[in-house]
Amino acid sequence: DPTSCPEYGIPELVSEIQVNAEAYIRQIRRTAEIRKDVISESGESKKAFIDALSNFVVAEIIKIMEEITNA
């Protein structure tokens, strides 16, 4: 029954994105902290870590933003 569901609008969507983003960022930071010895052992592994963030996180967020903008 649609009348029994609370309204879900932009403020709720923004809040949900913020909560999820903060949790994900904490996880990435935790991983980086736990594995800092591996990440910093050579320039190559540091670059691989940064490339992974760029390709798997930033690029996907940009893609989502473009899809929403063009919808």
Side-chain angles (χ1 to χ4, degrees), residues 42-61:
S42 77
E44 185 177 315
S45 59
K46 188 179 292 187
K47 182 182 180 327
F49 183 76
I50 292 169
D51 286 349
L53 289 174
S54 179
N55 294 330
F56 300 122
V57 179
V58 177
E60 287 301 313
I61 290 171

Side-chain angles (χ1 to χ4, degrees), residues 5-9 12:
C5 294
E7 186 173 327
Y8 191 90
E12 292 79 15

